[in-house]
Amino acid sequence: MTVEEFRLPDVGEGVAEGELVTWLVQPGDRVEEDQPVAEVETDKALVEVPSRYDGVVEELFVAEGDVVPVGDVIISFRVDDGESATGDGESATGDGESDTDEAVDESGVPTETAAAGSETKPDPSGDGPADESDAPAGRTFAPPSARRLARELGVDIAAVDGSGPGGRVDEADVRAHAEGDADSVGGTDDAGAGSADAPEPKPAPTDVGSGNRTSAVSKRGSDGTAADPASPVPGASASAAVDPAGRDTTLATPATRRAARDRGVDIDDVPTDESRDGEAFVTGEHVRAYADAMESAVAGEDGADGDAAGGADDDAAGGADDDAAGGADDDAVDATGAVEASTPRAGDETVPYRGVRRTIGKQMERSKFTAPHVTHHDTAEVDSLVEAREELKPTAEERGVSLTYMPFVMKAIVAGLKQYPYLNSELREEEEEIVLKGSYNLGIAVATDAGLMVPVVENVDEKGLFELAAEVRNLAARARDRKIKPAEMKGGTFTITNFGAIGGEYATPIINYPETAILGLGAIEERPVVRDGEVVAAPTLPLSLSIDHRVVDGAVAAEFANTVMEHLENPLLLLTQ
């Protein structure tokens, strides 16, 4: 048996990173090739990551919620020697050296593994020998984040009493167990004193069979060993850890930034010896070490013991200091009651800004601050449209189609775009040209749990009402289930957003850049209209048309809206499209 590491593949069209949303397997589980092992959310969609091995899960290197760059190790497997030739699409070189240049013995097993000889490998959960017949029954249930913390604190995860369902161990349980051990030996000994009674950190499964390769979670030293948990910041002295780094730019995952906020630490002040793409990269371990060092320094200045072990005396002193500091901060608040935005308050909840939500935000920001928006509002009287739909619904149902008003609106929009092609265009600033699109691919904005997605219906001018109804329904359902493909959200030339389905009449929709226009639909309801000098109730459809004023003039927008309304008020005209 050998241990094979699996790296996060490119799960989308050139995406650089993904958030690991859910693990579908746990250490000790047997998996087959192509079996999904995790769900990963990119800035485009939620995808399943399949295994490339037949084997047993050795270790999970990433915690749920972590953002992982493509190419980082996320999981390792124990596989038979004959099954481990390729895994991540990376094969061993012909001269017997692996793709990481680590030494191997004659059997092709890394020398660190070979040196272990007949020694029993540690169980992935750290509970004992990895005998496949016993491991599942005696395995400790804990997420990767708790196991990682246990390794950092030198805690045997099997000895921790879990407070979760079925005895599941979380990070709080590990910390409580570690604090209990510290109290039992005095609680005031310095963490780096190296007491003989202190438990030694258990080796991570990667220490056996993974050579010197680094996991995406466990920090390793240059010699491949786990970083010393007693060191305030890897590669930095204790005094340096207290001094703020004062950087202008820092790279960190959202989870790390959240941890920094929770500890009241400025992420740019945290010392680090790691970098990515030439920028400083901070991990949760750096944040914890820096925050602990700062708190110890504050406690020491106020006459507290100042031990790094964080005993009961430190907790009491830290609490008093926090209260005093909090009072001073409160006094420093100006007369308006304004509080620094980064200061967490009781009852506040933080939600990660990443994945699809972050992509939507960036796209909206780019559109709003690039294209000067103007919104034209109007209302169509749609008595005839309501009647036409009612007449066609039985026929649609016979064909298994649920007929809504959307296909009628799509056909009416195409009629308008054919007459006013500048609303079906793209401004290419660098080339100083406007491209008038020859196809009519309409994006339909769909509200999902992850945010707004815009699947695209292609060649609307070539499809009938029933065909459009079926396609829109299918795309919308898969978008809500996060099963939509990235390619199905590309190539749009004009977008429709139907906020009337939720409730409302008018809005100022933001253009789906680089398109030049978007049409918002209000709810079709009976409203007062004037006919023959009298006010009567009639079904109306409010329209909100936003345009890029660099490309489309207000008069052209109004004429386009009039054409759309004309086709909605006289549905027989749609037969000409």
Side-chain angles (χ1 to χ4, degrees):
M1 300 284 284
T2 59
V3 174
E4 296 289 342
E5 293 178 336
F6 178 67
R7 303 175 187 272
L8 179 66
D10 184 349
V11 293
E13 299 179 1
V15 298
E17 63 183 15
E19 176 189 349
L20 201 146
V21 177
T22 307
W23 279 113
L24 304 178
V25 295
Q26 291 296 323
D29 292 348
R30 174 165 288 280
V31 299
E32 298 178 354
E33 185 177 0
D34 294 329
Q35 175 183 334
V37 295
E39 289 183 337
V40 174
E41 180 181 72
T42 70
D43 57 0
K44 299 177 181 178
L46 183 72
V47 296
E48 291 182 340
V49 177
S51 168
R52 293 185 179 176
Y53 300 100
D54 290 331
V56 177
V57 177
E58 175 79 356
E59 182 179 10
L60 308 180
F61 291 94
V62 178
E64 293 180 352
D66 283 356
V67 176
V68 188
V70 168
D72 272 15
V73 177
I74 61 172
I75 188 172
S76 61
F77 302 93
R78 294 197 307 275
V79 299
D80 293 335
D81 291 341
E83 298 175 352
S84 59
T86 60
D88 305 338
E90 302 167 348
S91 57
T93 57
D95 58 1
E97 294 183 355
S98 72
D99 57 345
T100 54
D101 297 328
E102 62 184 352
V104 295
D105 65 4
E106 295 180 356
S107 65
V109 180
T111 52
E112 187 171 345
T113 306
S118 60
E119 293 178 8
T120 304
K121 296 181 180 179
D123 180 80
S125 62
D127 304 336
D131 187 291
E132 293 180 14
S133 62
D134 320 329
R139 192 170 73 243
T140 300
F141 291 95
S145 58
R147 295 182 184 278
R148 177 181 56 194
L149 180 61
R151 289 195 297 271
E152 294 172 354
L153 298 178
V155 171
D156 182 356
I157 195 73
V160 179
D161 293 328
S163 60
R168 184 178 177 87
V169 176
D170 59 20
E171 293 183 52
D173 297 328
V174 174
R175 293 185 185 279
H177 184 87
E179 291 173 1
D181 286 348
D183 291 341
S184 67
V185 296
T188 55
D189 292 338
D190 188 83
S195 170
D197 295 332
E200 295 183 1
K202 295 179 72 64
T206 20
D207 294 340
V208 180
S210 296
N212 292 329
R213 283 174 282 186
T214 307
S215 84
V217 172
S218 302
K219 170 69 176 164
R220 303 284 178 187
S222 59
D223 59 352
T225 60
D228 181 6
S231 175
V233 178
S237 66
S239 59
V242 179
D243 297 330
R247 292 181 299 273
D248 292 329
T249 305
T250 300
L251 300 181
T253 66
T256 299
R257 294 183 184 277
R258 182 169 64 248
R261 288 195 300 271
D262 292 344
R263 297 294 296 270
V265 168
D266 186 341
I267 197 74
D268 292 327
D269 287 343
V270 178
T272 179
D273 59 352
E274 295 191 39
S275 64
R276 286 189 180 176
D277 299 327
E279 298 286 354
F281 181 77
V282 169
T283 67
E285 181 181 344
H286 295 119
V287 169
R288 287 192 298 272
Y290 178 69
D292 289 345
M294 293 296 293
E295 291 172 2
S296 296
V298 171
E301 291 173 0
D302 291 341
D305 185 44
D307 286 340
D313 291 341
D314 285 345
D315 291 340
D321 292 339
D322 288 345
D323 291 341
D329 290 342
D330 290 342
D331 293 339
V333 176
D334 61 23
T336 64
V339 182
E340 186 179 348
S342 61
T343 303
R345 290 294 186 184
D348 289 352
E349 178 183 2
T350 59
V351 178
Y353 181 61
R354 59 190 179 216
V356 175
R357 180 76 267 165
R358 182 178 60 183
T359 300
I360 294 171
K362 289 183 177 180
Q363 175 72 355
M364 294 298 99
E365 179 183 23
R366 180 187 181 195
S367 177
K368 193 65 176 178
F369 290 103
T370 301
H373 283 55
V374 171
T375 304
H376 173 86
H377 300 287
D378 215 327
T379 303
E381 299 175 16
V382 291
D383 312 60
S384 298
L385 176 62
V386 173
E387 293 174 2
R389 174 175 173 262
E390 289 301 319
E391 291 181 9
L392 289 174
K393 280 180 66 176
T395 305
E397 291 173 358
E398 290 176 1
R399 302 185 185 182
V401 176
S402 176
L403 184 61
T404 66
Y405 290 108
M406 183 61 73
F408 296 92
V409 174
M410 296 169 72
K411 299 295 283 188
I413 288 173
V414 169
L417 295 178
K418 286 183 176 180
Q419 290 191 41
Y420 303 97
Y422 278 85
L423 282 92
N424 197 54
S425 67
E426 175 186 342
L427 172 61
R428 296 179 179 172
E429 297 179 76
E430 293 184 0
E431 292 81 3
E432 296 185 337
E433 63 185 17
I434 299 172
V435 180
L436 305 181
K437 300 300 182 70
S439 56
Y440 302 95
N441 304 332
L442 304 189
I444 311 297
V446 178
T448 74
D449 292 339
L452 206 63
M453 294 188 178
V454 187
V456 175
V457 181
E458 298 181 343
N459 305 316
V460 173
D461 57 320
E462 301 175 3
K463 298 173 181 177
L465 292 174
F466 294 170
E467 185 178 0
L468 290 174
E471 187 169 349
V472 168
R473 185 177 183 84
N474 175 267
L475 287 171
R478 289 194 290 114
R480 294 189 184 97
D481 293 339
R482 306 296 302 282
K483 301 299 183 183
I484 195 80
K485 298 178 181 177
E488 294 176 304
M489 295 188 288
K490 292 185 176 182
T493 60
F494 186 100
T495 296
I496 307 169
T497 178
N498 183 19
F499 45 80
I502 301 173
E505 295 185 49
Y506 297 100
T508 55
I510 296 179
I511 298 166
N512 190 15
Y513 191 82
E515 298 170 11
T516 55
I518 181 172
L519 182 65
L521 308 177
I524 295 181
E525 295 177 351
E526 285 197 341
R527 297 181 178 89
V529 300
V530 178
R531 290 179 179 171
D532 300 327
E534 295 183 0
V535 177
V536 296
T540 61
L541 172 59
L543 303 175
S544 300
L545 174 67
S546 291
I547 58 170
D548 183 344
H549 215 337
R550 298 173 303 173
V551 179
V552 182
D553 294 330
V556 174
E559 291 168 350
F560 168 82
N562 289 339
T563 301
V564 171
M565 289 193 299
E566 180 184 8
H567 284 73
L568 292 175
E569 293 172 352
N570 301 281
L572 288 178
L573 291 176
L574 299 176
L575 298 177
T576 65
Q577 301 304 314

